[in-house]
Amino acid sequence: MTDIASPGIPPSTQVTLPDGRVELAPGTAPPTGRYANADLLPVPVAGRTWTTYNFSALWVGMAHNTASWTLASGLIAVGMDWKQAVFTIAAANLIVLVPMLLTGHAGPRYGIPFPVFARASFGVRGANLPAVVRALVACGWFGIQTWIGGEAIYLLAGKLIGDGWTDASRVGGYAWTMWLSFAVFWAIQVAIIHRGMDTIRRFENWAAPFVLVGAFVMLWWMSVEAGGFGPLFDQPSKLGWGADFWKLFAPSLMGMIGFWSTLSLNIPDFTRYGRSQRAQTWGQALGLPTTMTLFAFLSVLVTSGSQAVYGEPVWDPVQLAAKTDNVAGLLYALVTVLVATLSVNIAANLVSPAFDFSNVAPRKVSFRTGALITAVLAVVICPWKLYADPQGYIFTWLGLVGGLLGTVAGILVADYWVVRRCRLALADLYRAGGRYWYAGGWNWRAVTAFAVGGVLAVGGADFHPLVDGRPVPALRPLADYGWAVGLGTSAALYLLLTLPGLRGRTAGQEGQEARKVREAREAG
């Protein structure tokens, strides 16, 4: 079996429509066997119905959440002013939009989810490596969001029940009632998962605008507390625009990119339902950077206002809402947090890992089972440690995530756009012995590029508060640029290892085809 597949014309088992979308040929039996199940198979063209509006609405629902809020407000907490924070976030989202669109291209074109897309570069079996890495990251995100939702329940119940709830005996550094609130919110999400995707879609339809209104309400409330909008804009930067700011800007930018680096990989899980490339391109371009920048603007203004009112920035919106004595206002604010957290957690942190875990054992793990596995692992990861402070949240968690996932993105983009020129053979993505089987189902070139890129991206990073120290101290200068280092290194190394052999093999195949043509003419 060839070690490198030619990016030539797809086989006759698939058809290409005039608009460029590809599906299995009519009458062709869908792939079966140990590497296929109903959740992983290509979406037929008739089932690809999402429009520009649908993709924009998806981003509105995912961006308007508490983690996005703390992402921006956390920059205020570490010394930036509102202009610096909004600039950093806007720049990061414009940058991450590029790989988002490049990897998203395979979705509407072939109708395949991320783990199947990764089989083209990593191999049918090897795709489990990036899929599991992506899934574990989603488990961490799911845990962080669930902790935020539990915190909202804890504070809300404390206002209604009294000090007996909030001052309960402590276990593991937190009141036992906080742990109970965390468990309750976890159970609510599991119950929604159990009811299926239709329930999730109905919930998402109204969650996004509800949360956006809630953010404007918090802005209005903080402006009243601060005596107008002036103090919200007047809070000075602790860094200025000199060397101190730019020293912090690089790791902050990588952290902001890391926030959506997960979706830049698995966006085919959503774009596979796209009606056209135009729909996913414009939908994401209009939905991601604009929505995130607006929400960041709201959050940094509110956090700046909290600094003016309380003498220090309150970066956690749940803790900020708890400072009001108005029970109705508190109730509305915390319900908004719960709705926002529930919305993004299910859409962004359960759909993709469910596909990823299903890809590991398609015949044994369904989409729903994969989602339940995610929910359990989210607790094991101890998300309360990741979310404990803005330094660890932005620079450790998001930096490590961005570095590792940027490495995978570099390989996917290089393979799909440069090596294969956007051409895939659908049937071979689901079977052993095909062009994506490589050596035993693994493409050693992709694994090597992932390992080297990953070490360079995160080897010099500070893992505190997860663990103390840096794994490779000599790589410390690269740590602040983890996402860019991982993406660039892995893409370059993958192409260096792949293209020479591909050119030689393609030339050989073209020679064989020319010889066959000559022999046929001579025989005629």
Side-chain angles (χ1 to χ4, degrees):
M1 182 54 58
T2 60
D3 192 31
I4 304 175
S6 167
I9 299 173
S12 59
T13 55
Q14 63 190 45
V15 294
T16 303
L17 302 185
D19 62 2
R21 290 184 296 172
V22 179
E23 67 177 347
L24 295 172
T28 302
T32 58
R34 62 182 303 181
Y35 302 110
N37 66 23
D39 297 316
L40 298 176
L41 291 179
V43 176
V45 167
R48 303 176 204 173
T49 59
W50 285 31
T51 64
T52 297
Y53 172 79
N54 295 134
F55 285 111
S56 297
L58 174 71
W59 277 112
V60 170
M62 290 195 295
H64 293 166
N65 65 84
T66 310
S68 296
W69 183 282
T70 56
L71 188 73
S73 61
L75 295 179
I76 299 296
V78 297
M80 292 187 184
D81 65 14
W82 72 270
K83 296 183 292 295
Q84 293 169 332
V86 172
F87 167 70
T88 302
I89 290 174
N93 282 280
L94 287 173
I95 292 172
V96 81
L97 179 64
V98 176
M100 194 87 68
L101 296 177
L102 292 177
T103 55
H105 183 278
R109 183 175 177 88
Y110 294 100
I112 53 176
F114 158 67
V116 175
F117 175 47
R119 293 176 181 180
S121 52
F122 281 84
V124 174
R125 286 177 172 171
N128 286 322
L129 174 61
V132 170
V133 170
R134 166 65 184 95
L136 292 177
V137 169
C139 292
W141 273 124
F142 184 84
I144 288 174
Q145 296 277 15
T146 303
W147 183 256
I148 293 171
E151 186 180 41
I153 293 177
Y154 168 74
L155 292 174
L156 175 60
K159 287 288 185 178
L160 299 177
I161 298 175
D163 294 339
W165 177 270
T166 54
D167 296 335
S169 57
R170 304 179 76 82
V171 177
Y174 296 93
W176 69 264
T177 48
M178 177 62 212
W179 294 111
L180 176 61
S181 301
F182 175 63
V184 168
F185 192 66
W186 183 92
I188 291 173
Q189 294 174 105
V190 171
I192 292 177
I193 296 167
H194 183 72
R195 291 183 62 87
M197 290 298 295
D198 286 339
T199 300
I200 295 172
R201 281 195 294 267
R202 288 195 296 269
F203 177 79
E204 295 289 340
N205 285 340
W206 61 268
F210 181 86
V211 174
L212 184 59
V213 171
F216 277 105
V217 169
M218 288 194 71
L219 177 63
W220 170 79
W221 167 61
M222 189 51 58
S223 68
V224 172
E225 293 291 315
F229 284 98
L232 277 63
F233 288 97
D234 291 341
Q235 295 304 306
S237 169
K238 298 178 182 178
L239 308 171
W241 285 94
D244 290 340
F245 167 72
W246 294 109
K247 182 180 179 180
L248 186 65
F249 174 75
S252 298
L253 183 69
M254 293 300 107
M256 301 305 103
I257 291 173
F259 188 78
W260 288 125
S261 63
T262 51
L263 268 295
S264 70
L265 289 185
N266 66 266
I267 195 64
D269 292 337
F270 300 96
T271 61
R272 67 193 296 223
Y273 301 103
R275 179 175 294 176
S276 64
Q277 290 296 342
R278 179 183 176 86
Q280 74 98 5
T281 300
W282 280 104
Q284 294 201 80
L286 294 174
L288 171 58
T290 56
T291 298
M292 281 295 293
T293 302
L294 171 61
F295 207 62
F297 179 70
L298 294 175
S299 68
V300 297
L301 285 184
V302 173
T303 306
S304 294
S306 71
Q307 184 171 338
V309 174
Y310 302 110
E312 61 180 3
V314 183
W315 74 295
D316 186 336
V318 177
Q319 296 290 342
L320 182 61
K323 290 183 176 294
T324 180
D325 294 326
N326 186 308
V327 176
L330 175 68
L331 179 63
Y332 178 79
L334 294 184
V335 168
T336 301
V337 170
L338 287 173
V339 171
T341 305
L342 200 58
S343 172
V344 70
N345 222 16
I346 292 174
N349 300 323
L350 276 179
V351 172
S352 294
F355 283 126
D356 295 336
F357 286 127
S358 178
N359 188 69
V360 175
R363 291 192 295 181
K364 296 180 180 180
V365 180
S366 66
F367 174 85
R368 182 173 294 178
T369 302
L372 292 176
I373 292 173
T374 302
V376 173
L377 291 178
V379 179
V380 176
I381 288 176
C382 303
W384 47 91
K385 293 185 178 180
L386 299 174
Y387 191 67
D389 66 87
Q391 290 279 348
Y393 177 54
I394 293 175
F395 301 121
T396 300
W397 169 243
L398 293 179
L400 292 177
V401 166
L404 287 177
L405 298 186
T407 302
V408 178
I411 295 170
L412 296 182
V413 170
D415 180 79
Y416 181 69
W417 285 93
V418 180
V419 175
R420 306 189 188 282
R421 300 193 294 274
C422 303
R423 295 180 178 179
L424 298 176
L426 281 175
D428 279 2
L429 290 170
Y430 297 89
R431 68 184 182 91
R435 67 182 64 195
Y436 309 118
W437 188 246
Y438 300 102
W442 291 76
N443 183 3
W444 66 268
R445 297 168 181 82
V447 175
T448 301
F450 172 77
V452 174
V455 170
L456 292 177
V458 304
D462 184 356
F463 280 51
H464 180 79
L466 301 179
V467 296
D468 292 329
R470 301 172 188 268
V472 187
L475 296 177
R476 181 174 181 174
L478 300 179
D480 289 346
Y481 309 92
W483 182 83
V485 169
L487 186 144
T489 302
S490 63
L493 182 56
Y494 182 77
L495 293 176
L496 182 65
L497 295 173
T498 302
L499 287 180
L502 179 63
R503 284 196 294 267
R505 190 169 301 277
T506 301
Q509 290 173 343
E510 290 174 350
Q512 293 175 6
E513 292 173 359
R515 186 170 60 253
K516 290 179 180 179
V517 171
R518 288 196 303 269
E519 292 174 352
R521 288 177 178 174
E522 291 173 359

